[in-house]
Amino acid sequence: MKLDGISLNLDVTLCCGQVFRWNKKGDWWYGVADDKAFKVRQINSELEFANADTKFVENYFGLDDNLKKISANIGRDEHIGKALRKFWGLRIIRQDPWECLISYICATYKNIPAIKHMLLNLSSRYGEKILLDGMEFSTFPKPEKLAKAPVEDLLDCGLGYRAKYVQVTSKRIFENDFELESLRKLPYTQAKKQISTFAGVGPKVADCVLLFSLGKTEAFPVDRWVERVILNHYVEKLPPELAHKLQKREGLTNANYAKLNVFGREYFGEYAGYAQEYLYHYERMNT
């Protein structure tokens, strides 16, 4: 598939910390989405893929997002400008909301290798086996599977205290036939309020799920990397009292999270989530 002027940096998009079940083997990226394994690679302006159709790939990688328009909206200062130039073509992937929710519940206070390990264990144990190029992959387990999984078995997958959250949230979604896609139609604040009622979902997890799977590009997740970005490059734009509290580096309270989240959304606007991802990745790669 020719990208025909569509900017995409596949490598950066798949390794910038928004998805956890992709691995590169040679030139090809292998992953599982929409209950199927597929592979994809980029050679200049050509995107090649197998075991997925064009419409799915275009949607999954957000190729209809207008990066030039987004850049014009969020490129408000030299620092974000540097991030945009260095990682131009990074796109927000449109993940399955269910998998995204469980992934980010598992991601709490864990680094990326540990998150990948947990999700691999969950999928291998409770998903369906599928083959591609002679390799075995696993679909992400359905809510029913995780709802009925004993906490002890989830602990065996390396989830730690998150095991109970995963089980309780899975039960609620399965038993109530809750449709996460319904949150897509709600305004950001209402959708965030609803998703925050699930076990294990704090403000950051809620924002990640809204941004990476439910189309809320105004969501602005804040973690230690984003907090560091704001302290290093935007502190003069914060209220002095908040700046003083953050500079003590005593940890990010929910109250301070809310203030930084509001700052990000107000400063960067409707595509604050894109700004967050570029800044987050730029900070991680330059530290």
Side-chain angles (χ1 to χ4, degrees), residues 200-213:
V201 178
K204 182 202 159 195
V205 172
D207 277 317
C208 287
V209 177
L210 292 173
L211 174 61
F212 298 131
S213 70

Side-chain angles (χ1 to χ4, degrees), residues 35-55:
D35 287 343
K36 61 174 170 270
F38 71 101
K39 64 179 184 178
V40 60
R41 70 176 177 180
Q42 182 176 3
I43 301 174
N44 299 318
S45 61
E46 188 87 21
L47 195 65
E48 299 178 8
F49 48 89
N51 213 35
D53 61 50
T54 300
K55 186 177 179 182

Side-chain angles (χ1 to χ4, degrees), residues 1-253:
M1 173 178 122
K2 289 200 175 296
L3 292 170
D4 291 332
I6 297 171
S7 299
L8 172 67
N9 187 324
L10 183 67
D11 285 347
V12 170
T13 296
L14 286 173
C15 75
C16 67
Q18 56 177 316
V19 285
F20 308 108
R21 294 216 300 140
W22 282 89
N23 292 291
K24 196 172 188 183
K25 300 177 189 296
D27 291 337
W28 291 93
W29 284 94
Y30 286 82
V32 181
D34 199 32
D35 287 343
K36 61 174 170 270
F38 71 101
K39 64 179 184 178
V40 60
R41 70 176 177 180
Q42 182 176 3
I43 301 174
N44 299 318
S45 61
E46 188 87 21
L47 195 65
E48 299 178 8
F49 48 89
N51 213 35
D53 61 50
T54 300
K55 186 177 179 182
F56 175 80
V57 170
E58 287 175 343
N59 179 69
Y60 184 76
F61 290 110
L63 297 184
D64 56 339
D65 282 345
N66 187 332
L67 278 190
K68 288 184 179 178
K69 177 186 174 184
I70 290 167
S71 176
N73 271 262
I74 65 177
R76 302 196 53 196
D77 56 74
E78 182 53 30
H79 186 66
I80 184 73
K82 287 178 184 175
L84 285 164
R85 286 191 293 275
K86 183 159 186 177
F87 296 116
W88 184 248
L90 186 164
R91 289 178 176 269
I92 300 295
I93 290 174
R94 295 168 183 165
Q95 301 177 47
D96 170 71
W98 159 246
E99 179 174 348
C100 191
L101 173 61
I102 297 302
S103 296
Y104 277 95
I105 290 174
C106 289
T108 312
Y109 299 114
K110 282 290 186 180
N111 59 31
I112 290 173
I115 300 163
K116 291 178 81 121
H117 185 66
M118 282 188 280
L119 298 177
L120 175 62
N121 288 343
L122 279 178
S123 301
S124 298
R125 189 159 190 163
Y126 298 107
E128 302 294 327
K129 306 298 183 219
I130 46 178
L131 292 173
L132 178 62
D133 289 350
M135 292 179 284
E136 186 175 275
F137 299 87
S138 299
T139 62
F140 197 76
K142 302 296 184 188
E144 178 180 7
K145 289 277 191 179
L146 296 184
K148 294 178 178 178
V151 170
E152 295 76 18
D153 291 354
L154 297 176
L155 287 168
D156 284 346
C157 292
L159 271 61
Y161 69 87
R162 303 160 197 81
K164 188 64 179 174
Y165 294 150
V166 167
Q167 187 199 58
V168 170
T169 288
S170 301
K171 255 185 194 175
R172 185 175 156 201
I173 287 178
F174 170 62
E175 291 174 359
N176 295 290
D177 199 23
F178 186 89
E179 185 52 67
L180 288 165
E181 277 288 345
S182 66
L183 302 180
R184 191 182 296 276
K185 300 172 186 175
L186 297 179
Y188 164 77
T189 50
Q190 283 181 248
K192 185 171 181 178
K193 188 174 180 180
Q194 280 207 27
I195 206 164
S196 297
T197 64
F198 287 101
V201 178
K204 182 202 159 195
V205 172
D207 277 317
C208 287
V209 177
L210 292 173
L211 174 61
F212 298 131
S213 70
L214 289 166
K216 306 300 181 190
T217 56
E218 68 267 50
F220 190 81
V222 181
D223 67 353
R224 65 188 180 93
W225 292 104
V226 175
E227 180 188 17
R228 189 182 297 176
V229 169
I230 293 171
L231 276 173
N232 290 344
H233 303 283
Y234 298 95
V235 70
E236 76 284 351
K237 300 182 187 300
L238 299 176
E241 184 183 353
L242 175 59
H244 180 67
K245 281 182 181 177
L246 293 174
Q247 283 166 336
K248 290 182 178 178
R249 306 214 180 240
E250 295 174 348
L252 193 61
T253 65

